[in-house]
Amino acid sequence: MRDLKQLIGLAIILLAIGLGGEAQASLIAHYAFDETNGTIAHDTSGLIDGTLQGGATFAPGAGINGGAIMLNRTTGDLVNMGDNFGFTSGDFSAEVWVKLNAGDTVGSVPIGRHYSGIAAGYFVAINDVFDGCSTIGAAHFYAVYPCSGVSSTVVNDGLWHQLVGVYNSTSQRSSIYVDGQFQSSSSGGNIINPISAPFLVGGITVGGVPTSYYTGLIDEVRLYDNALNASDVQSLYSNTLTPIPTPEPEIYTLVGVGLLGILAVRRQQKKGC
């Protein structure tokens, strides 16, 4: 009896630790852009940091949640994560928060890994980027072709918007979400072909050169190695607007419960079982 109670207490601790890790299982990269200086954008969930190029600068306190990155295409601004995040053999999702100048109608690519002129790679786009599936003021997600179709929500209004592109490798379908809500998806039919190009925040590769394709603020870039569903995207949207406590305090709380259970067992041992 005593051994059983002790095992139960320890099981609570192990369960708490396990749950804390599982919540982040599919998140492979997160760029919060909360740095205040320097030229490195740190990956808070993985090992692939980004390098600021051109005149890109951190903008402390200007993000949807903490800091952001400020980019201007006229000075070649972007963040370069190198030849990573190819996603050529499975599901994936890409999230980015954007804030353009109100009324900006220039074709923009806040995130992507794409070589201009080649039907390969993927990117999230705003306005017309000459890929045959753009509308001024709207967003779409290109994963080879066809792309997701355009959003019904306007995103060039000078406000913060969450954009999430989701690719399902089984159906070869790409979908776009804006501000936590599903907008549209493709009919499927293509795979993502491998290319040698870097993952960029605020640009695409043109003629082999990482090229700026965005003016405005960008925040909270996240990459996942699975296809997020509508509930996942809505949770990301809500939790970014109203940040929830980090997993650690919750884990500590559960561990504390487990320790209390062990202490209770010991008290029972003194009394006899």
Side-chain angles (χ1 to χ4, degrees), residues 167-187:
Y167 179 77
N168 186 300
S169 60
T170 301
S171 62
Q172 296 171 357
R173 178 178 294 273
S174 55
S175 304
I176 184 72
Y177 293 77
V178 176
D179 296 339
Q181 301 298 314
F182 173 77
Q183 303 288 305
S184 62
S185 65
S186 73
S187 58

Side-chain angles (χ1 to χ4, degrees), residues 25 35 45 52 57 60 77 80 125 129 162 210 240:
E35 295 83 357
S45 292
L52 277 62
T57 57
D77 302 358
N80 192 328
V129 294
Q162 177 211 42
T240 300

Side-chain angles (χ1 to χ4, degrees), residues 45 55 58 79 113 139 208 242:
S45 292
F58 293 111
V79 186
R113 176 188 159 99
T242 307

Side-chain angles (χ1 to χ4, degrees), residues 209-232:
V209 179
T211 303
S212 178
Y213 241 73
Y214 184 90
T215 295
L217 291 167
I218 289 178
D219 197 8
E220 301 300 331
V221 171
R222 294 182 177 90
L223 298 171
Y224 296 82
D225 62 2
N226 70 329
L228 299 177
N229 59 37
S231 178
D232 296 329

Side-chain angles (χ1 to χ4, degrees), residues 31 33 39-41 49-53 56 58 69 71 76-82 199-203:
Y31 304 95
F33 300 120
T39 60
I40 302 299
D49 294 340
T51 302
L52 277 62
Q53 296 182 358
F58 293 111
I69 195 80
L71 307 176
D77 302 358
L78 54 81
V79 186
N80 192 328
M81 281 69 178
F199 179 84
L200 303 175
V201 172

